[in-house]
């Protein structure tokens, strides 16, 4: 959203798990239409689920610059993305966050939720996320649902809930 707004591009979002070739064609149709005067930014989540034909359909428009493609995948793009499409893109790899970064994010979330942490509980919660902020926040959400009247996340509560949260 931020990139589209700052680039004056029309944003389209598709997900590879549910997008059909018709969905892609609908975006492509807009390239030369009156609806699109500034360009298109296509955000394609889970691109690894698109088949070769679906990925190939984007190639001409990415190459010409009519469509700016931002795609995400949890898989190795060099194995899952059509090579000709990949050769016209820049790959950015996001690394796991450091425990300190996760800890900082949890503290910010705690302030927003008006909760406090015992230091040991915060440390364990940050470590248990394995560098994934989304996992840390999901664990925190699960734990917050278990908080009754208390507004403090304790080590005991983290120990009780962390494995259950990961199973959920």
């Amino acid at each position: 959203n931020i990139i589209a707004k700052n680039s004056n591009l029309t944003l389209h979002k598709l997900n590879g798990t549910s997008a059909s070739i018709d969905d892609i064609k609908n975006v492509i149709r807009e390239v030369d239409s009156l609806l699109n005067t500034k360009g298109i930014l296509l955000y394609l989540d889970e691109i690894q689920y698109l088949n070769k034909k679906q990925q190939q359909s984007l190639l001409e428009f990415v190459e010409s610059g009519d469509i700016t493609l931002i795609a995400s995948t949890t898989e190795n793009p060099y194995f899952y993305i059509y090579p000709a499409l990949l050769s016209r893109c820049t790959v950015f790899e996001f690394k796991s966050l450091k425990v300190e970064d996760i800890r900082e994010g949890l503290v910010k979330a705690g302030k927003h939720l008006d909760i406090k942490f015992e230091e040991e509980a915060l440390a364990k919660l940050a470590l248990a996320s394995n560098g994934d902020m989304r996992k840390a926040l999901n664990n925190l959400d699960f734990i917050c649902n278990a908080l009754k009247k208390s507004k403090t996340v304790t080590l005991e509560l983290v120990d009780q809930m962390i494995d259950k949260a990961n199973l959920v």
Side-chain angles (χ1 to χ4, degrees):
N1 288 330
I2 294 169
I3 294 170
K5 184 177 180 182
N6 288 318
S7 303
N8 291 318
L9 298 173
T10 303
L11 177 64
H12 290 273
K13 298 178 191 177
L14 296 176
N15 188 298
T17 61
S18 59
S20 67
I21 192 72
D22 287 335
D23 295 325
I24 295 169
K25 285 180 180 178
N26 286 336
V27 173
I28 291 170
R29 261 188 229 108
E30 218 176 282
V31 166
D32 289 324
S33 76
L34 293 174
L35 296 173
N36 174 49
T37 57
K38 300 173 184 173
I40 293 174
L41 173 64
L42 173 59
Y43 173 62
L44 190 47
D45 193 18
E46 304 288 353
I47 190 174
Q48 76 271 15
Y49 290 110
L50 292 185
N51 64 38
K52 183 178 177 181
K53 183 178 179 180
Q54 290 170 312
Q55 291 184 36
Q56 284 176 322
S57 69
L58 292 168
L59 185 61
E60 170 189 348
F61 302 94
V62 170
E63 187 173 46
S64 69
D66 290 321
I67 293 178
T68 300
L69 176 66
I70 297 179
S72 60
T73 178
T74 54
E75 303 295 337
N76 184 334
Y78 297 102
F79 294 120
Y80 287 89
I81 311 303
Y82 179 59
L85 182 60
L86 190 61
S87 72
R88 287 150 178 89
C89 299
T90 302
V91 175
F92 295 94
E93 180 181 358
F94 293 92
K95 304 281 186 181
S96 296
L97 295 173
K98 296 176 188 168
V99 174
E100 300 83 34
D101 297 326
I102 298 288
R103 186 184 180 291
E104 183 180 329
L106 288 169
V107 168
K108 286 181 182 179
K111 287 179 183 175
H112 180 73
L113 298 169
D114 194 30
I115 59 169
K116 294 181 173 47
F117 297 91
E118 286 182 355
E119 193 55 43
E120 299 85 12
L122 181 60
K124 185 163 191 172
L125 197 53
L127 187 62
S129 70
N130 294 321
D132 184 340
M133 192 68 215
R134 183 172 20 186
K135 183 176 181 180
L137 292 173
N138 285 340
N139 286 343
L140 178 60
D141 182 53
F142 190 74
I143 290 168
C144 284
N145 286 327
L147 287 173
K148 302 270 190 255
K149 294 177 183 176
S150 172
K151 290 283 192 171
T152 301
V153 176
T154 63
L155 180 59
E156 180 183 355
L157 186 58
V158 170
D159 283 339
Q160 289 174 2
M161 303 301 289
I162 199 97
D163 289 333
K164 293 177 186 175
N166 290 329
L167 287 175
V168 170

